[in-house]
Amino acid sequence: IAYLTKCILIEREGSKEHKELVLKKLTYVLKKKEPICIFIEGTRSATGRLLEDNINYGVGQLYLDVPDSQILIVYIRGYDQKYKSDFPKKNEKFFIKYKLMKPQVQNKGFRAQREITRQILEELKTFENEYFSYNK
């Protein structure tokens, strides 16, 4: 997915100006009706579970900047993947869940950004829970 979509690197420890520039570039790409791929969870635990304490709220800002866009939430994980890893095992089979969503926003500003990001995260957590219920 990352190869087929646009790859605009962001430095996690970068300055505020750097992050704002990256958001401007991503907004530009979205306004051109091109897809982008964002990993909002930032990092994963040693067990490969989502961590909610390192969430990127920039996706909420992007959606507010380009409200006619849609968000495709994708969860992909190897059935044999027990821990965080860089590559799947040879001949791995995958659990794949996805949902196309258009977030509903009640708030404005940063609260709206958080609300959008939380809706996405809730879907990812649902997919993750399904994976772990199948893969006990």
Side-chain angles (χ1 to χ4, degrees):
I1 292 172
Y3 178 78
L4 296 174
T5 60
K6 309 303 178 251
C7 183
I8 299 171
L9 300 177
I10 184 166
E11 292 180 37
R12 286 177 191 256
E13 308 304 321
S15 67
K16 180 180 177 186
E17 293 79 19
H18 165 73
K19 292 175 183 177
E20 287 173 357
L21 179 62
V22 170
L23 283 175
K24 284 181 183 177
K25 288 178 182 180
L26 292 169
T27 299
Y28 174 81
V29 171
L30 282 175
K31 286 183 176 178
K32 293 286 189 180
K33 304 289 185 202
E34 294 288 334
I36 62 173
C37 180
I38 299 174
F39 297 88
I40 67 164
E41 71 274 13
T43 187
R44 298 212 177 224
S45 67
T47 63
R49 291 240 186 210
L50 290 169
L51 295 173
E52 294 188 49
D53 57 345
N54 201 19
I55 301 302
N56 174 355
Y57 294 105
V59 69
Q61 181 61 51
L62 287 169
Y63 184 77
L64 292 174
D65 290 345
V66 190
D68 63 331
S69 58
Q70 295 182 57
I71 298 172
L72 179 63
I73 302 166
V74 180
Y75 184 90
I76 303 172
R77 188 171 177 139
Y79 278 107
D80 291 330
Q81 184 181 358
K82 304 293 182 217
Y83 305 101
K84 182 169 79 170
S85 61
D86 292 330
F87 296 101
K89 291 181 181 179
K90 188 175 181 177
N91 299 319
E92 179 75 279
K93 290 186 174 39
F94 292 91
F95 174 90
I96 301 173
K97 286 285 191 173
Y98 59 91
K99 179 179 182 178
L100 188 62
M101 90 181 282
K102 196 154 179 61
Q104 302 302 311
V105 184
Q106 304 297 320
N107 295 300
K108 295 188 184 309
F110 185 71
R111 288 185 177 169
Q113 292 176 33
R114 282 193 348 210
E115 189 176 349
I116 292 163
T117 305
R118 286 278 160 213
Q119 289 176 38
I120 296 166
L121 186 62
E122 285 173 22
E123 290 296 332
L124 282 171
K125 292 293 268 177
T126 298
F127 295 160
E128 180 180 69
N129 290 336
E130 284 183 50
Y131 168 83
F132 281 103
S133 69
Y134 288 134
N135 205 23
K136 288 184 178 182

